[in-house]
Amino acid sequence: MMATKYWPLIAAMVFSTPVALAEETVKGSDSETPSDDSWGDDNWSDDSWTEEQSGSSWHGFIEAGLGGRLQEDTAVNEQFAALDDTTLADLRLRLETTGFIGDNRYALKADLYADGVGQGMRVDLREASYTFSASESTDVKLGQQILTWGTGDLLFLNDLFAKDWQSFFAGRDTEYLKAPVAAAKASYYGKSASLELVWIPVFTSDRYINGERFSWFSPQAGENVAAPTGRIDAKDPANSFANGEFAARIAGSVDSTEWALYGYRGFQKQPNALNVNGQPVFTRLDVLGASVRGTLGTGLANAELALHMAEDGAGNDPMMPNDQFRFLLGYEREILPKLTLGLQYYLEQTLDYSALRAASASAYNPAQYRYLYTTRLNYRMWQDNLTWSLFAFYSPSDDDHFIRPSVTYRYSDHLNMVVGANLFGGEKAHTFFGQFEDASNVYGRIRYAF
């Protein structure tokens, strides 16, 4: 990909906003996103187990998924005409098991799938973990695992664990928005608060939009670009203890209100800077944040904030991102039987903005204040076997949107079907949602569980 001195500005459109999309529920303790876009299931499908399990047993599912664009993406088709506007073409086998060795638990979960878009067989090791108790109040979990915390509904502020945006935009099950990482997690449960410490020894980036499955807007080209010339392929930081990722969360409750404090030391999860050779790189990132969640009237309210401290603290290096302040307010309630409404307001403020404007001559500088609203509607019928879902993002500052409708039908305990869409649009081609307008797609999946 051709180098550009405006790479951080590209990153503001291509990368910064996905980190500001996030978890698909505001329920649970630092909520977990439900699979199949179901509201309130509190289930990433990657860390569910019960103490009643006393032995090892294998189970899983077989799933087929197919999706395609609603209009041609010329940037992609010029390079990959054989794709025929296909965004999803998966045949997937999931196998998983859990069991105990004495009082210690192990878990294995892996997907083997044929990716018709990537034209190859893939293996995705979702979990390979071992959990033991270091003391009566301390648990340790080692190995490949899914990590998540925060209060947002598809809005991540303090969750800096790896995400898979290609899967999310293509229409795979929402559980695949979370990418697995090899980590060590220690959890201490005190009388008034709990403490979680996470160490990821080898930096794990997001599976970001890189120009292969979806194109992205290049300010230098003035249009969307795709692989191979528009491919983003950054090298991870060198493996060392100092380059690992460290995260901490202290959480507790007062009456019915939950609170949490967060910290993170690592790198930006997507390559949003240029080195001296003009190549995209991951830069340092420190994050401090807090959240609260509790009942408000007949619903559930949450608030979260985070200070993202970038490597360029002064904000006057146009090759690096600026510090950011992020803020979230959310509210959810059942407005009618079986009908749930969730609303959110999100603000992303670029700090040291005057320094950015003085250092950059680009016409594509990000807005100093980027804000968006989200709405979720979820309706269940037919004894909860049919679920209608709608999640909508709208950014007045960017004048763009992203709408995710879906319908899930559970035919039996073993068989379910999902149809849905990812609809992007915007007034300007260089805004985050606007640049993916040609990526708008419809998809369908059918799953048999065993």
Side-chain angles (χ1 to χ4, degrees), residues 293-326:
R293 175 170 46 206
T295 57
L296 179 63
T298 58
L300 183 67
N302 65 290
E304 188 171 348
L305 57 85
L307 177 61
H308 286 226
M309 295 169 282
E311 187 170 322
D312 177 28
N316 54 13
D317 186 345
M319 305 301 164
M320 293 186 177
N322 282 29
D323 294 347
Q324 283 190 339
F325 172 74
R326 300 183 179 186

Side-chain angles (χ1 to χ4, degrees), residues 27-57:
K27 292 182 179 287
S29 177
D30 276 345
S31 54
E32 297 180 347
T33 299
S35 66
D36 292 321
D37 298 325
S38 302
W39 176 278
D41 289 346
D42 290 339
N43 178 27
W44 272 106
S45 297
D46 282 284
D47 197 21
S48 57
W49 63 287
T50 62
E51 294 181 355
E52 286 76 12
Q53 292 174 299
S54 59
S56 174
S57 62

Side-chain angles (χ1 to χ4, degrees), residues 135 137-139 186-191 193-197 249 251:
S135 68
S137 55
T138 304
D139 291 336
S187 303
Y188 171 78
Y189 306 99
K191 293 182 179 180
S194 63
L195 171 65
E196 286 187 336
L197 299 174
R249 180 175 75 103

Side-chain angles (χ1 to χ4, degrees), residues 104-327:
N104 303 331
R105 175 187 178 256
Y106 65 85
L108 295 171
K109 185 180 298 186
D111 287 6
L112 173 66
Y113 65 101
D115 183 353
V117 177
Q119 300 179 346
M121 295 295 297
R122 303 285 189 269
V123 176
D124 190 11
L125 183 61
R126 304 294 296 175
E127 184 170 2
S129 66
Y130 187 77
T131 304
F132 63 93
S133 296
S135 68
E136 288 187 0
S137 55
T138 304
D139 291 336
V140 177
K141 185 175 184 180
L142 305 175
Q144 190 89 333
Q145 55 190 288
I146 298 293
L147 296 168
T148 185
W149 58 38
T151 65
D153 183 6
L154 285 181
L155 289 167
F156 295 112
L157 286 74
N158 290 291
D159 184 335
L160 276 297
F161 305 120
K163 317 295 187 302
D164 185 345
W165 299 105
Q166 296 192 46
S167 291
F168 185 62
F169 289 167
R172 290 182 176 135
D173 191 294
T174 312
E175 77 167 274
Y176 294 105
L177 173 57
K178 280 289 187 173
V181 295
K185 181 178 74 170
S187 303
Y188 171 78
Y189 306 99
K191 293 182 179 180
S192 58
S194 63
L195 171 65
E196 286 187 336
L197 299 174
V198 175
W199 174 43
I200 303 174
V202 178
F203 169 74
T204 305
S205 70
D206 285 352
R207 300 173 183 178
Y208 49 85
I209 305 301
N210 62 0
E212 290 187 335
R213 195 176 299 250
F214 302 105
S215 63
W216 56 278
F217 182 83
S218 166
Q220 186 180 39
E223 60 184 2
N224 274 39
V225 297
T229 56
R231 176 182 169 84
I232 303 169
D233 190 9
K235 290 184 178 180
D236 290 344
N239 292 338
S240 68
F241 180 81
N243 286 344
E245 298 177 77
F246 301 87
R249 180 175 75 103
I250 302 173
S253 61
V254 177
D255 297 328
S256 61
T257 301
E258 302 172 356
W259 59 268
L261 301 175
Y262 308 89
Y264 173 82
R265 168 69 173 173
F267 292 85
Q268 304 277 355
K269 303 304 290 186
Q270 308 195 27
N272 56 359
L274 287 178
N275 62 16
V276 294
N277 297 319
Q279 300 299 315
V281 294
F282 299 91
T283 55
R284 281 285 181 187
L285 177 66
D286 296 323
V287 179
L288 293 175
S291 68
V292 293
R293 175 170 46 206
T295 57
L296 179 63
T298 58
L300 183 67
N302 65 290
E304 188 171 348
L305 57 85
L307 177 61
H308 286 226
M309 295 169 282
E311 187 170 322
D312 177 28
N316 54 13
D317 186 345
M319 305 301 164
M320 293 186 177
N322 282 29
D323 294 347
Q324 283 190 339
F325 172 74
R326 300 183 179 186
F327 178 71

